[in-house]
């Protein structure tokens, strides 16, 4: 099992593309391996015959360096291949889960304070507890009449009448403990922890029965894919270790939409997202201090402007990268991002197509989201969140300088920045330049 990404520790065998006994040439695909980033095709480094498949399709969490297949040279009897001995590590002993316990001293003190002892107890209403403590009564032989076995105020008053006690002075010692009497007709299930006020009930989901409606509280465990586990780990690390700062600005994309229409007449299909990628790359060229990452030693300014674009797939979110985006034209960016997105959804991205990047863009405008804040993809310094465009009525001036009402197609963008690298002033300047580049598409060809 090879390391197909810098952060890969284990891999899953998705599919074998060669069978035992088949001839393999250098560069032939052997199998598909799911890494922590994508599904990568493993190619052969040598010529020979695939003699033995050691790990079947669908196997998961195979450690790096584990033996997954054997190859022999051509002319060797592959059926007589000798399988090398592999070190066997004993499986850890699975101990039954220990239920959460409450310190006995805490339970005892709580019970003594409330006047409760014994293995099971009747639930008291506040008024009933006050009456019983005032008259110094226990519950021997008493049967609660309230809902769900609650000993009510009326039950306490009837007990006082039956036993004919008188109230004790307020300075008297605490009432002696009293044992609960539980009706024999309503047995209770044993509990590991006494059901005392202040202690939660045990969280034990009921067992669901096949072919019957699920009981309340039931759940179904869904195994997390390797990609999903890595996404959860990296996003948690990002939010807990990076000081996120957020800034938003509205851009008028009327000129962008008009440029799209003019290009479409020449059979050049450019999306708004392509303009956004180009505008972000040009802005980074204008402001190289934002094109940086954070390492263990501190900030690192990058010479190449590589834009990572978030793409949703069935296995999770992945960010293919448009390399040197500032030097590419709009049509080249459009064709590049289209090809990358298709390979990302098919799980065919190469490691160099999604590793690295200096700046990320996440666009949810096509889903009707007007604005949102994205999480930084470390070690990058920024991510730009794009919302849906909308029509707004505002005052504006025409070419003659006359003011009046006009409609504008506005789009909200939110920059999430690492405050260690990009402070609030630098983030505001970046958004101001990005706004000018988006509202004047002809500027994109000047930088």
């Amino acid at each position: 099992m090879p390391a197909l990404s810098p952060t890969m520790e284990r891999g899953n065998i998705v599919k074998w593309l060669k069978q035992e006994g088949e001839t393999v040439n250098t560069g032939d695909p052997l199998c598909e391996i799911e890494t922590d980033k994508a599904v990568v095709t493993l190619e052969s480094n040598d010529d020979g015959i695939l003699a033995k498949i050691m790990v079947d399709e669908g196997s998961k969490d195979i450690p790096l360096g584990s033996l997954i297949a054997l190859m022999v040279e051509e002319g060797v009897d592959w059926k007589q291949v000798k399988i090398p001995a592999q070190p066997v590590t004993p499986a850890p002993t699975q101990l039954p889960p220990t239920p959460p316990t409450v310190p006995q001293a805490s339970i005892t003190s709580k019970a003594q304070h409330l006047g409760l002892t014994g293995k099971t107890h009747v639930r008291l209403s506040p008024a009933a507890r006050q009456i019983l403590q005032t008259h110094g009564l226990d519950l021997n032989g008493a049967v609660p009449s309230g809902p769900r076995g609650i000993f009510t105020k009326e039950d306490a008053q009837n007990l006082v009448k039956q036993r004919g006690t008188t109230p004790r002075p307020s300075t008297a010692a605490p009432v002696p403990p009293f044992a609960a009497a539980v009706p024999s007709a309503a047995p209770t299930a044993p509990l590991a922890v006494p059901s005392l006020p202040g202690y939660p009930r045990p969280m034990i989901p009921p067992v669901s029965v096949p072919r019957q409606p699920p009981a309340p509280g039931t759940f179904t465990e869904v195994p997390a894919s390797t990609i999903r586990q890595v996404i959860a780990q990296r996003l948690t690390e990002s939010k807990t270790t990076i000081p996120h700062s957020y800034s938003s600005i509205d851009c008028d994309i009327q000129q962008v939409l008009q440029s799209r229409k003019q290009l479409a007449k020449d059979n050049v299909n450019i999306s708004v997202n392509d303009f956004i990628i180009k505008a972000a790359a040009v802005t980074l060229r204008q402001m190289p201090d934002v094109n940086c990452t954070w390492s263990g030693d501190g900030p690192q300014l990058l010479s190449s402007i590589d834009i990572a674009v978030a793409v949703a797939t069935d296995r999770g979110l992945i960010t293919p990268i448009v390399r040197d985006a500032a030097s590419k034209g709009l049509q080249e960016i459009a064709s590049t991002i289209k090809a990358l997105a298709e390979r990302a959804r098919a799980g065919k991205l190469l490691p160099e197509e999604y590793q690295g990047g200096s700046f990320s863009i996440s666009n949810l405008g096509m889903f009707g989201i007007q604005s949102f804040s994205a999480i930084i993809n470390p070690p990058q310094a920024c991510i730009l969140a794009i919302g849906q465009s909308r029509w707004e009525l505002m005052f504006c001036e025409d070419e003659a300088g006359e003011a009046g009402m006009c409609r504008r197609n506005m789009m909200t963008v939110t920059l999430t920045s690492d405050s260690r690298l990009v402070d609030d002033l630098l983030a505001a300047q970046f958004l101001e330049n990005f706004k000018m580049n988006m509202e004047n598409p002809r500027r994109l060809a000047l930088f």
Side-chain angles (χ1 to χ4, degrees):
M1 176 61 67
L4 299 175
S5 74
T7 57
M8 178 181 173
E9 297 178 355
R10 296 175 179 269
N12 305 334
I13 301 295
V14 179
K15 182 180 180 181
W16 281 101
L17 305 177
K18 294 287 186 178
Q19 301 300 321
E20 294 180 357
E22 288 192 33
T23 301
V24 179
N25 297 319
T26 303
D28 285 353
L30 288 176
C31 63
E32 294 180 351
I33 298 177
E34 182 185 12
T35 71
D36 57 345
K37 297 289 187 179
V39 177
V40 181
T41 300
L42 175 63
E43 298 179 351
S44 175
N45 294 325
D46 299 300
D47 298 335
I49 299 175
L50 182 60
K52 183 65 176 178
I53 294 177
M54 305 296 296
V55 180
D56 296 332
E57 292 183 359
S59 300
K60 297 181 179 296
D61 295 334
I62 305 165
L64 295 183
S66 300
L67 187 62
I68 61 175
L70 293 173
M71 288 182 59
V72 297
E73 296 180 355
E74 294 184 6
V76 178
D77 187 2
W78 62 271
K79 295 182 180 180
Q80 303 299 325
V81 64
K82 182 178 179 181
I83 301 176
Q86 301 183 63
V88 179
T89 56
T93 305
Q94 296 293 335
L95 298 177
T98 304
T101 58
V102 181
Q104 186 62 33
S106 176
I107 298 176
T108 303
S109 62
K110 186 77 172 181
Q112 291 175 351
H113 174 71
L114 297 174
L116 302 177
T117 58
K119 295 183 179 180
T120 57
H121 307 284
V122 174
R123 299 172 60 190
L124 298 176
S125 68
R129 180 183 289 105
Q130 178 65 29
I131 294 173
L132 295 177
Q133 291 178 349
T134 302
H135 291 268
L137 295 175
D138 57 34
L139 290 181
N140 288 329
V143 178
S145 63
R148 299 183 299 278
I150 297 177
F151 197 85
T152 63
K153 175 183 177 182
E154 289 74 15
D155 295 334
Q157 292 174 343
N158 293 334
L159 191 61
V160 171
K161 293 179 182 179
Q162 292 174 4
R163 302 187 180 178
T165 60
T166 57
R168 299 184 305 174
S170 59
T171 58
V175 298
F178 52 89
V182 181
S184 58
T188 59
L191 296 177
V193 180
S195 179
L196 300 177
Y199 291 97
R201 297 180 180 178
M203 298 299 295
I204 304 176
V207 179
S208 59
V209 180
R211 297 183 298 276
Q212 291 188 8
T218 58
F219 62 90
T220 302
E221 290 188 355
V222 179
S225 64
T226 305
I227 297 176
R228 178 59 61 186
Q229 292 174 354
V230 173
I231 290 175
Q233 178 184 358
R234 287 179 61 82
L235 292 184
T236 303
E237 177 187 356
S238 175
K239 287 294 287 185
T240 54
T241 62
I242 296 178
H244 284 55
S245 181
Y246 308 96
S247 306
S248 298
I249 198 169
D250 290 335
C251 302
D252 182 359
I253 62 171
Q254 190 66 29
Q255 294 294 328
V256 168
L257 298 179
Q258 292 180 1
S259 299
R260 285 191 64 205
K261 290 182 179 180
Q262 294 175 357
L263 293 172
K265 295 178 180 179
D266 298 330
N267 295 324
V268 178
N269 296 319
I270 305 296
S271 68
V272 175
N273 202 52
D274 300 327
F275 280 94
I276 294 172
I277 296 173
K278 179 64 175 179
V282 168
T283 308
L284 289 173
R285 176 176 285 179
Q286 294 174 281
M287 303 182 61
D289 290 342
V290 183
N291 192 48
C292 60
T293 59
W294 179 271
S295 68
D297 300 328
Q300 292 182 342
L301 293 179
L302 305 179
S303 57
S304 178
I305 299 174
D306 303 325
I307 305 295
V309 182
V311 175
T313 68
D314 295 337
R315 292 173 296 275
L317 199 67
I318 193 168
T319 53
I321 299 171
V322 181
R323 302 286 180 182
D324 198 15
S327 301
K328 288 182 169 63
L330 284 169
Q331 191 171 9
E332 187 177 0
I333 290 176
S335 59
T336 300
I337 196 62
K338 182 179 179 180
L340 289 173
E342 290 178 354
R343 288 203 293 274
R345 296 187 179 98
K348 302 297 183 182
L349 282 178
L350 299 176
E352 59 269 18
E353 293 178 325
Y354 57 79
Q355 293 176 6
S358 59
F359 190 92
S360 292
I361 295 176
S362 180
N363 190 343
L364 295 181
M366 67 285 294
F367 299 106
I369 305 299
Q370 291 195 357
S371 65
F372 69 102
S373 300
I375 301 176
I376 296 173
N377 183 22
Q380 297 176 13
C382 299
I383 182 171
L384 192 65
I386 310 299
Q388 183 188 34
S389 62
R390 65 191 183 277
W391 287 104
E392 286 190 3
L393 191 64
M394 59 183 63
F395 282 101
C396 56
E397 293 184 358
D398 56 15
E399 296 179 355
E402 296 181 0
M405 300 296 294
C406 61
R407 284 202 315 165
R408 287 290 184 265
N409 206 321
M410 307 299 294
M411 179 184 69
T412 300
V413 298
T414 301
L415 179 70
T416 305
S417 55
D418 185 344
S419 296
R420 299 172 300 179
L421 298 168
V422 180
D423 57 26
D424 292 339
L425 176 59
L426 191 60
Q429 293 173 345
F430 176 88
L431 287 178
E432 183 181 14
N433 288 329
F434 177 82
K435 175 184 173 71
M436 288 190 294
N437 291 329
M438 282 295 295
E439 294 183 348
N440 301 277
R442 286 176 291 185
R443 289 171 53 93
L444 302 179
L446 300 178
F447 299 95

